[in-house]
Amino acid sequence: MLSFVLLLAVLATTCHSRSAIRSGVAADENDYMPQGEHNSDYDHEAFLGHDQKAVYDNLPAPEAKKRLQDLIPHLDEDGDGQITVDELHDWIKKQLLVYIMDDANALHEGNDVNHDGFVSWKEFVATTYGLGFVDNEQKAPEAGEFDYRQMILRDYNKFISADANGDQFLSVDEMASFIHPEEFHHTRHLAIEESLKDLDRNGDGLVSVDEYMADLLADEEELMNDIELMDRERRKFNEQHDTDKDGFLNEWEVRDWLTPNNDSPSRAVAARLVAAADSNRNGVLEKPEIVRNYQVFVGNSFISHGGEL
């Protein structure tokens, strides 16, 4: 499992795959199907988590509704019969924290070479890149070898930012912010910077509409055949994201796009789910709305992680 996590980290920075946190980008109501079913697995996974996707993929509608009804009391923190964005955000954070800490524990255990309960930068470099890079992180590659210097520099910047107490070691909690910087205030800026670098393929510090579209298609080239989707995304770039109308996205515009109002991706998910299921548009969810719009929360493309189910 650890080697797989590390491989993903390498591939994310070496291949032209989708940018770091694009899958968590805040969506508007146009990103929902007319029938109210969300077209992204990201929000579904965030709501109930990562581990039980197969269970929810195969649930018939009556059983899915029943399980969702059983879950509603756990969402309603103050018991007033209404689910606010804040309450839904709290629930999503709990589910996300389980997933994040599973990742953090696995990565921490695999990098804590001397088993002292902490991971030093040298331990991380040796485990991730090899002993040859310890104390020589920026060595030039031999002919025909891959150049890891930019990747190591990225990881070093994340390591320093995640090291909240500045002791030059990462605890398990600090490792969580190292591998999921988008969910922690003190490291969120790094997630934005990484996404900008992923999006900016020509390295000019800006994101053109072509780069924006290329990132959208990076993992799903078949979307190119969806003319309506392509047109809608181009309009969103020009009308919503490019706020200064210069034809490019700068760092601040990318930040506003990926984390509107400086919200974490998990809070953006909560807001989207409320907006999608709030039939009477009063800004909160009642039980009948949740049940009636159950496919916003559970369905064939749903991933579940809620232990209380």
Side-chain angles (χ1 to χ4, degrees):
M1 174 64 182
L2 174 61
S3 60
F4 176 70
V5 172
L6 295 178
L7 177 61
L8 286 180
V10 171
L11 290 178
T13 51
T14 60
C15 301
H16 271 172
S17 57
R18 189 166 291 182
S19 56
I21 59 174
R22 176 151 191 166
S23 60
V25 171
D28 57 29
E29 292 185 14
N30 290 329
D31 292 319
Y32 291 86
M33 298 179 182
Q35 295 80 11
E37 180 182 357
H38 195 275
N39 63 8
S40 171
D41 284 341
Y42 179 88
D43 290 358
H44 292 163
E45 180 173 346
F47 179 65
L48 286 177
H50 182 71
D51 287 350
Q52 298 181 28
K53 183 183 190 317
V55 174
Y56 275 85
D57 281 349
N58 293 290
L59 282 179
E63 178 63 18
K65 288 182 179 181
K66 179 181 181 301
R67 293 197 181 197
L68 186 59
Q69 285 178 321
D70 292 342
L71 180 62
I72 290 172
H74 300 286
L75 308 178
D76 186 10
E77 295 176 338
D78 58 12
D80 67 352
Q82 296 181 325
I83 313 300
T84 66
V85 171
D86 286 341
E87 288 175 321
L88 195 54
H89 181 216
D90 286 345
W91 168 260
I92 290 172
K93 283 194 300 183
K94 291 175 185 176
Q95 313 318 306
L96 182 61
L97 184 60
V98 174
Y99 171 69
I100 287 176
M101 294 314 297
D102 283 348
D103 269 1
N105 277 294
L107 195 60
H108 196 275
E109 181 179 354
N111 283 274
D112 183 12
V113 178
N114 64 5
H115 304 293
D116 65 350
F118 299 93
V119 173
S120 68
W121 171 244
K122 288 185 178 181
E123 285 177 316
F124 177 80
V125 171
T127 305
T128 306
Y129 297 100
L131 290 170
F133 288 94
V134 176
D135 296 325
N136 195 20
E137 297 97 333
Q138 293 299 303
K139 70 175 182 179
E142 300 291 337
E145 291 184 345
F146 183 80
D147 191 346
Y148 287 98
R149 286 177 291 182
Q150 284 299 113
M151 293 171 58
I152 293 174
L153 181 59
R154 271 196 187 192
D155 281 340
Y156 180 74
N157 289 334
K158 284 201 299 182
F159 190 98
I160 295 302
S161 293
D163 179 20
N165 63 4
D167 65 357
Q168 300 183 17
F169 296 90
L170 296 187
S171 64
V172 173
D173 288 342
E174 290 171 331
M175 183 65 77
S177 63
F178 174 78
I179 57 177
H180 291 282
E182 70 281 359
E183 284 299 333
F184 298 87
H185 287 291
H186 66 291
T187 52
R188 192 171 300 153
H189 67 285
L190 291 174
I192 303 299
E193 291 170 7
E194 288 189 5
S195 283
L196 178 58
K197 289 177 182 177
D198 292 340
L199 288 157
D200 177 22
R201 300 188 178 197
N202 65 6
D204 66 354
L206 300 169
V207 179
S208 68
V209 65
D210 289 338
E211 289 171 326
Y212 174 89
M213 297 302 293
D215 185 68
L216 174 69
L217 298 170
D219 299 327
E220 301 178 74
E221 291 185 6
E222 67 275 9
L223 293 179
M224 187 179 297
N225 298 321
D226 190 335
I227 303 302
E228 183 180 347
L229 174 64
M230 294 296 97
D231 288 343
R232 186 170 74 238
E233 286 296 328
R234 286 183 180 276
R235 288 198 305 271
K236 286 172 66 175
F237 179 94
N238 292 316
E239 297 172 9
Q240 297 180 26
H241 305 322
D242 181 19
T243 55
D244 62 8
K245 307 306 178 187
D246 67 349
F248 299 92
L249 304 186
N250 58 37
E251 180 179 351
W252 292 105
E253 289 169 324
V254 170
R255 185 187 303 272
D256 288 342
W257 163 39
L258 297 179
T259 57
N261 301 316
N262 201 31
D263 284 342
S264 68
S266 58
R267 184 172 182 84
V269 171
R272 288 200 293 272
L273 294 178
V274 169
D278 182 17
S279 302
N280 63 10
R281 299 300 183 217
N282 67 347
V284 297
L285 298 179
E286 289 86 24
K287 182 176 180 179
E289 290 176 315
I290 295 174
V291 176
R292 183 167 56 251
N293 296 294
Y294 76 97
Q295 287 181 310
V296 171
F297 304 92
V298 298
N300 287 339
S301 61
F302 200 83
I303 299 174
S304 169
H305 190 119
E308 291 169 298
L309 291 179

